[in-house]
Amino acid sequence: MPTAVSVLLPLPLPAFSYLLPFEQEKPVLGARVVVPWQAGVRTGIVVKLEEIPATKALELKELIYPLDYEPFILPELLSFIENLAKTSISPPGQILATLLPTGLNETLIHEVKAIAGTQLELNLEDWSGVEKLSPGQLDFLRKQGLILERVRIEEAKLRVLIPYKKPDEKLKTKAKANQLQALEWLWEVETVESGAELARQADVPESSVRTLVKNGYAGYEEITAPPPVLPSYVPKTLPLTKLYASENHRAVTGGYRAERLAALIPILQGDLKRGKSVMVIVPEQFILEETASYLQGLMPLQVLSGELTDAQRKRFWQELSQHEPLILVGTYLAMLAPLRQLGRIVILEEASSSYKLQSGPRLFVSSSLRHLAQHLTIPVMLSDSLLSPEGLSHVGEAQCLYLPSPERRLHVADLSQQTNWPLSSELIQVLKQVQERDRRAILLAPRRGFSAALGCSDCTWLAECPNCDLSLRYHQDKRQLSCHQCGYSTAIPLECPNCHNVNLGAMRGAGTQWIAKEVSKHLPGFPIYRYDADERDTLSPLLEGEAGVVIGTTALLRHAPLPDVSLIGLTLFDTLLGVSDFRAEEETLRLWLQLAELSPQARPLTLIQTFQSQHPLLEFMAAKDAEKAMKFFLEGVLERRKRFHYPPFAEVAKIQVSAKQEMTAQREANWLADALKLHVKDKGEVVGPSAAPVTKLKGLYSYQLFVRDLAHKGFETLLQPVQAYARGARVRVDVDPRDIGRFLD
Ligand SMILES: [Zn+2]
Ligand SMILES: [Zn+2]
C-alpha cells in the first residue's frame, strides 16, 4: 500500500499529507523533509506516516527528499507540539515556527531532471538547477508528473586566499621584497580570509598582495566553512548557601537569584551522575548569561539563546543530540532541543512576565514547560523570588524550599501630603545625605521621557496620539511628543489648539528626565546618570565605587548590580498597582523583591513614594518575617482566585475583536459573545464584551471578551465558534492573557 507522510511546515497551518515515492525509504518521525510548496519547495518535519489506499494516493503530491536519517525533533515531542497547538488555539505549524530555532531555513540546491523517455524541449536529460524553469513551468511539469526533483543542503562556504606557487627567482629582487615577504607568510599560515588580512599579518602594503594574486602566486578559493565557535562565558563564583534543594523539592523561593541557583547545584549534579541531562530555562538574555557564567566550569554546559547566529544554532543542534549528559541553559528556543535522557526541567524566574510570548501562539512559556515535563513524565523544578500561584499550586507548598529573604529597610513617603511633586521632602532629604556621604543611590521612575503627557493648564487639552487612545509622551530634551505604542512622533505645539494658551506643560506621571532635572536642582554638582531605553549612560564610575545617582526605568534590573547602594527610591509606586490585571499586586510585590538584586551586597534603604500609603501590599513588604508574609500573601491570592474563577482554578482566554470602524468591532464582539454563550452553556463563562483598555491602537478599534473554562473542557472545544468565525473583523485569541503594563514604558 502507498504511504502518506504528514509534514508540518513552519507556517500558520496544520500538517499536510504527501505521497512517499515508491522507490524512497520511509523517513523517520521527526526528521526533516523537503516538499513541493507553491512553485518551489519548503522544509518541514515528518509528524505522521500512514498506509493509504491506492485510490487516495492519486490526490497527493509527491514528497521530494529527506534531509535527515535521524529525528531532528525527538518523536516524543511531536505530540507535545500538537497539544500546545490545541491549548493555545493556534495552528501546529505556528508552534513549530515559534519554537524551533534552526533547521527549516537551509539554503537548498534544488535540481530537476526529465523522466526517462519524455520529450521535453528543455534540455533536462541530466540533473540541472531548477532556475532553468520558470515557476509556471515547474508547476506544470510537476502536475503532469514529467520530472524528477532532488534537493540537498548547500554547505556554508568561505572565500579564502591560498598560495599557488613557491617563491621563485623573479621575486628575489629588492623591489619585490614585500611580495616575497607576503608570499612566504601565506605559505606559513596556508589560508587567510582576505588580501587585506594578509597585508596586515605580513606587514606589507595591500598593493603587494594584489600584485601577487595578479601574477598567479596566490588566489582566492571557496572552502567549506569551519564550524562556528560557540560562545563561552566568564566563570563567576556562586555565593555560599546553607540551604540546598533535595530530591523532594519541586521549587525554590526567597533569597537572591544567585542563592536560589546555588541551592539547585546538588540536584543538577545528582541528575548528571545518574546519566540524565537537565534543561534550565530562563526568561531573558541577561539571566541566561548570568546563569551560564555561574555554571561554567562546574558541570558540562551548552547554551542556546536568540543571540546565536544561524550557523551557531545549527552546530548547537547537531552536537546536542550526540552529547554526553549535560546542563542545557536556554531561553524558550531550547524547548524542543534534542536532549536524549532528559531527566528534569528547571524553570528559573518562573513567574516572570517576560515568559509571555508577544506574538504567534502567545504562549506563556512557564506553563508550556510544566506541560512538557508532564508529557515526558519527568520532574519540574521552579525557582523565583515569589512563585506564581499557578506554579505554587502545581508543585504543592510542601515541596517548596524557602530561602531566607534579604533584609530590607522600607520607608513609605505619602505623596498626597506633599507639595514638592514629583519628589517628596523625605526623598530629597535622604538624597542630600547620599551626596554628603559620597554614596550611591538608584531612583526608579515608572517611565522614560519627561512626563506621561503634555497638556494645557487652562483648559483640559492633552496631546494625544492620532492612531491610538493614548496621550503622547513628552520628551523635553528632544522637544518632541511621541507615542510609545505605535511610534508616532511630532514637535511640541507652540500653543494649545483648544484655547491658544502658550503655557503648555508636563502633565501626569513624571518620567526619568523630569526626575533627573528635579534631582539636579536639589543636589547641585552631584553626578547624575540616566538609564532607560532613550539614554543609557555608562555606569562604570559607579561600578568602580564613585558617588552618584542613577535615574532609570526597570531596564536597570538588567544591568550588572552596583556596589554598596545606600538608597533605592521608587518615585511612583501606584503605576503598577493601577493596571487593570488581576496579577497587578503579585507583579508589584515581585518587582519589590527584585529590587534587592540591584545591590545584593548592601542593605540599602528603600523609599517608596505613593498616593496609597495605606495599601495592604505595603504591609507585606515591610513585614519582618518575609517568608511568613509571602505564604500568607499567596494563600490570600489563591483564595481570591478560587472565588473569582481565575487560574489555576479555571483557565482564561481573551478574545480580541478588532476593526477599522469602532461600530464594526463592537457589533462583531457582541455577535461572537452571543455565539459563545450559546455554545459553552454551563461548561464555561463568557464575560463581556467591553472596549479594550486602549480601545484605539495603531489605527484599529478593539473590543474584548473573556471566556473561562470552568469545567476544564479545554479551549479547543469551548472556542469552536471563534475558530469558525469568518465575518468582517480580525479576531485574536490569547489563552492565559497577561496584560500587566510593564514598568519599562
Ligand atoms: Zn488650552
Ligand atoms: Zn500611537
Side-chain angles (χ1 to χ4, degrees), residues 151-182:
V151 289
R152 64 197 147 88
I153 297 172
E154 185 173 46
E155 279 178 51
K157 287 280 199 285
L158 199 66
R159 193 164 168 265
V160 290
L161 187 60
I162 57 167
Y164 287 159
K165 278 196 291 186
K166 286 280 181 190
D168 52 22
E169 289 307 311
K170 282 186 220 158
L171 283 183
K172 290 179 181 161
T173 65
K174 215 173 176 187
K176 293 178 177 171
N178 279 337
Q179 290 180 44
L180 181 64
Q181 194 173 323

PDB file of all heavy atoms in Angstrom, residues 151-182:
ATOM      1  N   VAL A 151      16.926  17.463  -3.868  1.00  0.00           N
ATOM      2  CA  VAL A 151      17.494  18.626  -3.169  1.00  0.00           C
ATOM      3  C   VAL A 151      18.606  18.165  -2.242  1.00  0.00           C
ATOM      4  O   VAL A 151      18.656  17.015  -1.825  1.00  0.00           O
ATOM      5  CB  VAL A 151      16.434  19.362  -2.310  1.00  0.00           C
ATOM      6  CG1 VAL A 151      15.427  20.087  -3.141  1.00  0.00           C
ATOM      7  CG2 VAL A 151      15.773  18.406  -1.341  1.00  0.00           C
ATOM      8  N   ARG A 152      19.535  19.047  -1.968  1.00  0.00           N
ATOM      9  CA  ARG A 152      20.488  18.816  -0.882  1.00  0.00           C
ATOM     10  C   ARG A 152      20.828  20.154  -0.259  1.00  0.00           C
ATOM     11  O   ARG A 152      20.591  21.207  -0.852  1.00  0.00           O
ATOM     12  CB  ARG A 152      21.720  18.063  -1.371  1.00  0.00           C
ATOM     13  CG  ARG A 152      22.555  18.791  -2.377  1.00  0.00           C
ATOM     14  CD  ARG A 152      23.480  17.805  -3.092  1.00  0.00           C
ATOM     15  NE  ARG A 152      23.675  18.241  -4.463  1.00  0.00           N
ATOM     16  CZ  ARG A 152      24.638  19.091  -4.829  1.00  0.00           C
ATOM     17  NH1 ARG A 152      25.481  19.560  -3.940  1.00  0.00           N
ATOM     18  NH2 ARG A 152      24.761  19.471  -6.091  1.00  0.00           N
ATOM     19  N   ILE A 153      21.357  20.083   0.964  1.00  0.00           N
ATOM     20  CA  ILE A 153      21.686  21.313   1.685  1.00  0.00           C
ATOM     21  C   ILE A 153      22.985  21.874   1.143  1.00  0.00           C
ATOM     22  O   ILE A 153      23.960  21.137   0.977  1.00  0.00           O
ATOM     23  CB  ILE A 153      21.822  21.031   3.196  1.00  0.00           C
ATOM     24  CG1 ILE A 153      20.481  20.556   3.757  1.00  0.00           C
ATOM     25  CG2 ILE A 153      22.308  22.273   3.939  1.00  0.00           C
ATOM     26  CD1 ILE A 153      20.534  20.077   5.179  1.00  0.00           C
ATOM     27  N   GLU A 154      22.971  23.143   0.821  1.00  0.00           N
ATOM     28  CA  GLU A 154      24.213  23.770   0.367  1.00  0.00           C
ATOM     29  C   GLU A 154      25.090  24.059   1.580  1.00  0.00           C
ATOM     30  O   GLU A 154      24.654  24.708   2.528  1.00  0.00           O
ATOM     31  CB  GLU A 154      23.895  25.070  -0.366  1.00  0.00           C
ATOM     32  CG  GLU A 154      25.138  25.684  -0.968  1.00  0.00           C
ATOM     33  CD  GLU A 154      24.815  26.886  -1.844  1.00  0.00           C
ATOM     34  OE1 GLU A 154      24.025  27.742  -1.414  1.00  0.00           O
ATOM     35  OE2 GLU A 154      25.343  26.950  -2.950  1.00  0.00           O
ATOM     36  N   GLU A 155      26.305  23.548   1.526  1.00  0.00           N
ATOM     37  CA  GLU A 155      27.198  23.770   2.668  1.00  0.00           C
ATOM     38  C   GLU A 155      27.651  25.220   2.702  1.00  0.00           C
ATOM     39  O   GLU A 155      27.830  25.847   1.667  1.00  0.00           O
ATOM     40  CB  GLU A 155      28.439  22.882   2.529  1.00  0.00           C
ATOM     41  CG  GLU A 155      28.194  21.468   2.988  1.00  0.00           C
ATOM     42  CD  GLU A 155      29.433  20.632   2.790  1.00  0.00           C
ATOM     43  OE1 GLU A 155      30.519  21.071   3.243  1.00  0.00           O
ATOM     44  OE2 GLU A 155      29.331  19.565   2.178  1.00  0.00           O
ATOM     45  N   ALA A 156      27.847  25.722   3.936  1.00  0.00           N
ATOM     46  CA  ALA A 156      28.334  27.093   4.079  1.00  0.00           C
ATOM     47  C   ALA A 156      29.758  27.167   3.527  1.00  0.00           C
ATOM     48  O   ALA A 156      30.594  26.332   3.846  1.00  0.00           O
ATOM     49  CB  ALA A 156      28.312  27.489   5.540  1.00  0.00           C
ATOM     50  N   LYS A 157      29.976  28.147   2.645  1.00  0.00           N
ATOM     51  CA  LYS A 157      31.290  28.281   2.009  1.00  0.00           C
ATOM     52  C   LYS A 157      31.982  29.553   2.500  1.00  0.00           C
ATOM     53  O   LYS A 157      31.337  30.515   2.905  1.00  0.00           O
ATOM     54  CB  LYS A 157      31.120  28.360   0.486  1.00  0.00           C
ATOM     55  CG  LYS A 157      30.741  27.029  -0.157  1.00  0.00           C
ATOM     56  CD  LYS A 157      31.968  26.168  -0.317  1.00  0.00           C
ATOM     57  CE  LYS A 157      31.798  25.052  -1.329  1.00  0.00           C
ATOM     58  NZ  LYS A 157      30.993  23.942  -0.859  1.00  0.00           N
ATOM     59  N   LEU A 158      33.298  29.514   2.410  1.00  0.00           N
ATOM     60  CA  LEU A 158      34.088  30.655   2.839  1.00  0.00           C
ATOM     61  C   LEU A 158      35.087  30.948   1.739  1.00  0.00           C
ATOM     62  O   LEU A 158      35.707  30.032   1.194  1.00  0.00           O
ATOM     63  CB  LEU A 158      34.814  30.257   4.132  1.00  0.00           C
ATOM     64  CG  LEU A 158      35.332  31.376   5.007  1.00  0.00           C
ATOM     65  CD1 LEU A 158      34.182  32.180   5.570  1.00  0.00           C
ATOM     66  CD2 LEU A 158      36.146  30.769   6.148  1.00  0.00           C
ATOM     67  N   ARG A 159      35.237  32.236   1.375  1.00  0.00           N
ATOM     68  CA  ARG A 159      36.198  32.594   0.337  1.00  0.00           C
ATOM     69  C   ARG A 159      37.507  32.928   1.037  1.00  0.00           C
ATOM     70  O   ARG A 159      37.547  33.778   1.928  1.00  0.00           O
ATOM     71  CB  ARG A 159      35.663  33.803  -0.435  1.00  0.00           C
ATOM     72  CG  ARG A 159      36.380  34.082  -1.711  1.00  0.00           C
ATOM     73  CD  ARG A 159      35.530  35.023  -2.568  1.00  0.00           C
ATOM     74  NE  ARG A 159      36.315  35.532  -3.670  1.00  0.00           N
ATOM     75  CZ  ARG A 159      36.960  36.701  -3.651  1.00  0.00           C
ATOM     76  NH1 ARG A 159      36.875  37.485  -2.597  1.00  0.00           N
ATOM     77  NH2 ARG A 159      37.650  37.084  -4.712  1.00  0.00           N
ATOM     78  N   VAL A 160      38.572  32.223   0.653  1.00  0.00           N
ATOM     79  CA  VAL A 160      39.866  32.472   1.313  1.00  0.00           C
ATOM     80  C   VAL A 160      40.969  32.654   0.276  1.00  0.00           C
ATOM     81  O   VAL A 160      40.842  32.257  -0.876  1.00  0.00           O
ATOM     82  CB  VAL A 160      40.270  31.301   2.247  1.00  0.00           C
ATOM     83  CG1 VAL A 160      39.372  31.240   3.463  1.00  0.00           C
ATOM     84  CG2 VAL A 160      40.295  29.981   1.505  1.00  0.00           C
ATOM     85  N   LEU A 161      42.078  33.226   0.721  1.00  0.00           N
ATOM     86  CA  LEU A 161      43.256  33.410  -0.137  1.00  0.00           C
ATOM     87  C   LEU A 161      44.240  32.292   0.188  1.00  0.00           C
ATOM     88  O   LEU A 161      44.569  32.070   1.362  1.00  0.00           O
ATOM     89  CB  LEU A 161      43.878  34.778   0.170  1.00  0.00           C
ATOM     90  CG  LEU A 161      45.025  35.231  -0.735  1.00  0.00           C
ATOM     91  CD1 LEU A 161      44.569  35.318  -2.188  1.00  0.00           C
ATOM     92  CD2 LEU A 161      45.550  36.591  -0.269  1.00  0.00           C
ATOM     93  N   ILE A 162      44.656  31.546  -0.861  1.00  0.00           N
ATOM     94  CA  ILE A 162      45.627  30.464  -0.617  1.00  0.00           C
ATOM     95  C   ILE A 162      46.822  30.624  -1.572  1.00  0.00           C
ATOM     96  O   ILE A 162      46.708  31.233  -2.628  1.00  0.00           O
ATOM     97  CB  ILE A 162      44.990  29.063  -0.810  1.00  0.00           C
ATOM     98  CG1 ILE A 162      44.391  28.919  -2.228  1.00  0.00           C
ATOM     99  CG2 ILE A 162      43.918  28.792   0.236  1.00  0.00           C
ATOM    100  CD1 ILE A 162      44.049  27.489  -2.560  1.00  0.00           C
ATOM    101  N   PRO A 163      47.987  30.090  -1.194  1.00  0.00           N
ATOM    102  CA  PRO A 163      49.166  30.214  -2.064  1.00  0.00           C
ATOM    103  C   PRO A 163      49.111  29.196  -3.203  1.00  0.00           C
ATOM    104  O   PRO A 163      48.617  28.089  -3.021  1.00  0.00           O
ATOM    105  CB  PRO A 163      50.322  29.896  -1.109  1.00  0.00           C
ATOM    106  CG  PRO A 163      49.730  29.003  -0.064  1.00  0.00           C
ATOM    107  CD  PRO A 163      48.280  29.375   0.061  1.00  0.00           C
ATOM    108  N   TYR A 164      49.576  29.580  -4.421  1.00  0.00           N
ATOM    109  CA  TYR A 164      49.606  28.659  -5.566  1.00  0.00           C
ATOM    110  C   TYR A 164      51.033  28.223  -5.894  1.00  0.00           C
ATOM    111  O   TYR A 164      51.284  27.083  -6.213  1.00  0.00           O
ATOM    112  CB  TYR A 164      49.006  29.338  -6.812  1.00  0.00           C
ATOM    113  CG  TYR A 164      47.493  29.501  -6.787  1.00  0.00           C
ATOM    114  CD1 TYR A 164      46.870  30.452  -7.599  1.00  0.00           C
ATOM    115  CD2 TYR A 164      46.686  28.686  -5.976  1.00  0.00           C
ATOM    116  CE1 TYR A 164      45.487  30.597  -7.605  1.00  0.00           C
ATOM    117  CE2 TYR A 164      45.302  28.831  -5.976  1.00  0.00           C
ATOM    118  CZ  TYR A 164      44.704  29.781  -6.781  1.00  0.00           C
ATOM    119  OH  TYR A 164      43.353  29.932  -6.781  1.00  0.00           O
ATOM    120  N   LYS A 165      51.960  29.204  -5.878  1.00  0.00           N
ATOM    121  CA  LYS A 165      53.329  28.911  -6.336  1.00  0.00           C
ATOM    122  C   LYS A 165      54.326  29.257  -5.237  1.00  0.00           C
ATOM    123  O   LYS A 165      54.132  30.208  -4.486  1.00  0.00           O
ATOM    124  CB  LYS A 165      53.666  29.764  -7.571  1.00  0.00           C
ATOM    125  CG  LYS A 165      53.130  29.196  -8.867  1.00  0.00           C
ATOM    126  CD  LYS A 165      53.807  29.825 -10.090  1.00  0.00           C
ATOM    127  CE  LYS A 165      53.424  31.296 -10.279  1.00  0.00           C
ATOM    128  NZ  LYS A 165      53.951  31.871 -11.521  1.00  0.00           N
ATOM    129  N   LYS A 166      55.424  28.481  -5.178  1.00  0.00           N
ATOM    130  CA  LYS A 166      56.511  28.793  -4.233  1.00  0.00           C
ATOM    131  C   LYS A 166      57.241  30.051  -4.728  1.00  0.00           C
ATOM    132  O   LYS A 166      57.253  30.322  -5.924  1.00  0.00           O
ATOM    133  CB  LYS A 166      57.502  27.620  -4.186  1.00  0.00           C
ATOM    134  CG  LYS A 166      56.973  26.403  -3.429  1.00  0.00           C
ATOM    135  CD  LYS A 166      57.124  26.610  -1.929  1.00  0.00           C
ATOM    136  CE  LYS A 166      56.622  25.371  -1.175  1.00  0.00           C
ATOM    137  NZ  LYS A 166      56.536  25.618   0.252  1.00  0.00           N
ATOM    138  N   PRO A 167      57.846  30.804  -3.845  1.00  0.00           N
ATOM    139  CA  PRO A 167      58.617  31.979  -4.284  1.00  0.00           C
ATOM    140  C   PRO A 167      59.695  31.553  -5.288  1.00  0.00           C
ATOM    141  O   PRO A 167      60.357  30.524  -5.069  1.00  0.00           O
ATOM    142  CB  PRO A 167      59.252  32.495  -2.991  1.00  0.00           C
ATOM    143  CG  PRO A 167      58.467  31.889  -1.884  1.00  0.00           C
ATOM    144  CD  PRO A 167      57.887  30.620  -2.390  1.00  0.00           C
ATOM    145  N   ASP A 168      59.831  32.254  -6.396  1.00  0.00           N
ATOM    146  CA  ASP A 168      60.880  31.923  -7.370  1.00  0.00           C
ATOM    147  C   ASP A 168      61.869  33.081  -7.501  1.00  0.00           C
ATOM    148  O   ASP A 168      61.756  34.091  -6.797  1.00  0.00           O
ATOM    149  CB  ASP A 168      60.248  31.547  -8.721  1.00  0.00           C
ATOM    150  CG  ASP A 168      59.255  32.613  -9.194  1.00  0.00           C
ATOM    151  OD1 ASP A 168      59.378  33.777  -8.724  1.00  0.00           O
ATOM    152  OD2 ASP A 168      58.359  32.297  -9.996  1.00  0.00           O
ATOM    153  N   GLU A 169      62.827  32.908  -8.469  1.00  0.00           N
ATOM    154  CA  GLU A 169      63.914  33.892  -8.633  1.00  0.00           C
ATOM    155  C   GLU A 169      63.375  35.299  -8.901  1.00  0.00           C
ATOM    156  O   GLU A 169      63.925  36.284  -8.439  1.00  0.00           O
ATOM    157  CB  GLU A 169      64.851  33.461  -9.771  1.00  0.00           C
ATOM    158  CG  GLU A 169      65.697  32.239  -9.427  1.00  0.00           C
ATOM    159  CD  GLU A 169      66.475  32.411  -8.123  1.00  0.00           C
ATOM    160  OE1 GLU A 169      67.132  33.464  -7.951  1.00  0.00           O
ATOM    161  OE2 GLU A 169      66.405  31.496  -7.253  1.00  0.00           O
ATOM    162  N   LYS A 170      62.222  35.361  -9.665  1.00  0.00           N
ATOM    163  CA  LYS A 170      61.681  36.659 -10.056  1.00  0.00           C
ATOM    164  C   LYS A 170      61.327  37.540  -8.849  1.00  0.00           C
ATOM    165  O   LYS A 170      61.343  38.757  -8.919  1.00  0.00           O
ATOM    166  CB  LYS A 170      60.411  36.478 -10.902  1.00  0.00           C
ATOM    167  CG  LYS A 170      60.693  36.100 -12.333  1.00  0.00           C
ATOM    168  CD  LYS A 170      59.379  36.099 -13.113  1.00  0.00           C
ATOM    169  CE  LYS A 170      59.355  34.922 -14.085  1.00  0.00           C
ATOM    170  NZ  LYS A 170      57.991  34.556 -14.456  1.00  0.00           N
ATOM    171  N   LEU A 171      60.945  36.872  -7.754  1.00  0.00           N
ATOM    172  CA  LEU A 171      60.533  37.627  -6.571  1.00  0.00           C
ATOM    173  C   LEU A 171      61.720  38.061  -5.712  1.00  0.00           C
ATOM    174  O   LEU A 171      61.578  38.863  -4.804  1.00  0.00           O
ATOM    175  CB  LEU A 171      59.585  36.784  -5.708  1.00  0.00           C
ATOM    176  CG  LEU A 171      58.131  36.651  -6.173  1.00  0.00           C
ATOM    177  CD1 LEU A 171      57.346  35.851  -5.146  1.00  0.00           C
ATOM    178  CD2 LEU A 171      57.476  38.000  -6.378  1.00  0.00           C
ATOM    179  N   LYS A 172      62.899  37.451  -6.021  1.00  0.00           N
ATOM    180  CA  LYS A 172      64.028  37.709  -5.119  1.00  0.00           C
ATOM    181  C   LYS A 172      64.833  38.934  -5.538  1.00  0.00           C
ATOM    182  O   LYS A 172      66.046  38.902  -5.601  1.00  0.00           O
ATOM    183  CB  LYS A 172      64.900  36.448  -5.014  1.00  0.00           C
ATOM    184  CG  LYS A 172      64.154  35.369  -4.233  1.00  0.00           C
ATOM    185  CD  LYS A 172      64.887  34.070  -4.079  1.00  0.00           C
ATOM    186  CE  LYS A 172      63.998  33.092  -3.311  1.00  0.00           C
ATOM    187  NZ  LYS A 172      64.382  31.718  -3.469  1.00  0.00           N
ATOM    188  N   THR A 173      64.136  40.002  -5.859  1.00  0.00           N
ATOM    189  CA  THR A 173      64.810  41.278  -6.124  1.00  0.00           C
ATOM    190  C   THR A 173      64.392  42.242  -5.026  1.00  0.00           C
ATOM    191  O   THR A 173      63.378  42.020  -4.355  1.00  0.00           O
ATOM    192  CB  THR A 173      64.364  41.863  -7.484  1.00  0.00           C
ATOM    193  OG1 THR A 173      62.976  42.180  -7.371  1.00  0.00           O
ATOM    194  CG2 THR A 173      64.587  40.881  -8.610  1.00  0.00           C
ATOM    195  N   LYS A 174      65.182  43.280  -4.902  1.00  0.00           N
ATOM    196  CA  LYS A 174      64.934  44.228  -3.823  1.00  0.00           C
ATOM    197  C   LYS A 174      63.562  44.897  -3.958  1.00  0.00           C
ATOM    198  O   LYS A 174      62.838  45.076  -2.977  1.00  0.00           O
ATOM    199  CB  LYS A 174      66.034  45.305  -3.834  1.00  0.00           C
ATOM    200  CG  LYS A 174      66.369  45.747  -2.414  1.00  0.00           C
ATOM    201  CD  LYS A 174      67.551  46.674  -2.427  1.00  0.00           C
ATOM    202  CE  LYS A 174      67.792  47.184  -1.007  1.00  0.00           C
ATOM    203  NZ  LYS A 174      68.798  48.216  -0.927  1.00  0.00           N
ATOM    204  N   ALA A 175      63.163  45.170  -5.228  1.00  0.00           N
ATOM    205  CA  ALA A 175      61.901  45.867  -5.475  1.00  0.00           C
ATOM    206  C   ALA A 175      60.695  45.035  -5.068  1.00  0.00           C
ATOM    207  O   ALA A 175      59.629  45.564  -4.805  1.00  0.00           O
ATOM    208  CB  ALA A 175      61.802  46.233  -6.955  1.00  0.00           C
ATOM    209  N   LYS A 176      60.870  43.700  -5.070  1.00  0.00           N
ATOM    210  CA  LYS A 176      59.725  42.832  -4.778  1.00  0.00           C
ATOM    211  C   LYS A 176      59.813  42.198  -3.392  1.00  0.00           C
ATOM    212  O   LYS A 176      59.168  41.174  -3.123  1.00  0.00           O
ATOM    213  CB  LYS A 176      59.616  41.749  -5.857  1.00  0.00           C
ATOM    214  CG  LYS A 176      59.250  42.361  -7.194  1.00  0.00           C
ATOM    215  CD  LYS A 176      59.187  41.329  -8.288  1.00  0.00           C
ATOM    216  CE  LYS A 176      58.747  41.984  -9.586  1.00  0.00           C
ATOM    217  NZ  LYS A 176      58.867  41.064 -10.727  1.00  0.00           N
ATOM    218  N   ALA A 177      60.596  42.810  -2.506  1.00  0.00           N
ATOM    219  CA  ALA A 177      60.798  42.256  -1.160  1.00  0.00           C
ATOM    220  C   ALA A 177      59.471  42.097  -0.416  1.00  0.00           C
ATOM    221  O   ALA A 177      59.243  41.093   0.272  1.00  0.00           O
ATOM    222  CB  ALA A 177      61.742  43.146  -0.359  1.00  0.00           C
ATOM    223  N   ASN A 178      58.550  43.068  -0.593  1.00  0.00           N
ATOM    224  CA  ASN A 178      57.256  42.998   0.093  1.00  0.00           C
ATOM    225  C   ASN A 178      56.427  41.812  -0.378  1.00  0.00           C
ATOM    226  O   ASN A 178      55.809  41.116   0.414  1.00  0.00           O
ATOM    227  CB  ASN A 178      56.464  44.287  -0.143  1.00  0.00           C
ATOM    228  CG  ASN A 178      56.918  45.388   0.801  1.00  0.00           C
ATOM    229  OD1 ASN A 178      57.484  45.098   1.860  1.00  0.00           O
ATOM    230  ND2 ASN A 178      56.692  46.622   0.402  1.00  0.00           N
ATOM    231  N   GLN A 179      56.421  41.598  -1.713  1.00  0.00           N
ATOM    232  CA  GLN A 179      55.658  40.474  -2.264  1.00  0.00           C
ATOM    233  C   GLN A 179      56.208  39.159  -1.731  1.00  0.00           C
ATOM    234  O   GLN A 179      55.452  38.253  -1.363  1.00  0.00           O
ATOM    235  CB  GLN A 179      55.741  40.472  -3.787  1.00  0.00           C
ATOM    236  CG  GLN A 179      54.971  41.613  -4.431  1.00  0.00           C
ATOM    237  CD  GLN A 179      55.078  41.562  -5.949  1.00  0.00           C
ATOM    238  OE1 GLN A 179      54.947  40.499  -6.555  1.00  0.00           O
ATOM    239  NE2 GLN A 179      55.335  42.703  -6.558  1.00  0.00           N
ATOM    240  N   LEU A 180      57.542  39.058  -1.696  1.00  0.00           N
ATOM    241  CA  LEU A 180      58.189  37.839  -1.211  1.00  0.00           C
ATOM    242  C   LEU A 180      57.788  37.573   0.245  1.00  0.00           C
ATOM    243  O   LEU A 180      57.416  36.460   0.622  1.00  0.00           O
ATOM    244  CB  LEU A 180      59.713  37.982  -1.332  1.00  0.00           C
ATOM    245  CG  LEU A 180      60.530  36.755  -0.887  1.00  0.00           C
ATOM    246  CD1 LEU A 180      60.252  35.550  -1.780  1.00  0.00           C
ATOM    247  CD2 LEU A 180      62.029  37.067  -0.891  1.00  0.00           C
ATOM    248  N   GLN A 181      57.830  38.653   1.021  1.00  0.00           N
ATOM    249  CA  GLN A 181      57.500  38.532   2.441  1.00  0.00           C
ATOM    250  C   GLN A 181      56.055  38.043   2.635  1.00  0.00           C
ATOM    251  O   GLN A 181      55.791  37.159   3.442  1.00  0.00           O
ATOM    252  CB  GLN A 181      57.668  39.905   3.092  1.00  0.00           C
ATOM    253  CG  GLN A 181      57.688  39.875   4.600  1.00  0.00           C
ATOM    254  CD  GLN A 181      58.019  41.259   5.142  1.00  0.00           C
ATOM    255  OE1 GLN A 181      58.826  42.000   4.570  1.00  0.00           O
ATOM    256  NE2 GLN A 181      57.385  41.613   6.249  1.00  0.00           N
ATOM    257  N   ALA A 182      55.133  38.629   1.823  1.00  0.00           N
ATOM    258  CA  ALA A 182      53.719  38.242   1.936  1.00  0.00           C
ATOM    259  C   ALA A 182      53.528  36.787   1.523  1.00  0.00           C
ATOM    260  O   ALA A 182      52.808  36.024   2.171  1.00  0.00           O
ATOM    261  CB  ALA A 182      52.868  39.159   1.071  1.00  0.00           C
TER     262      ALA A 182
END
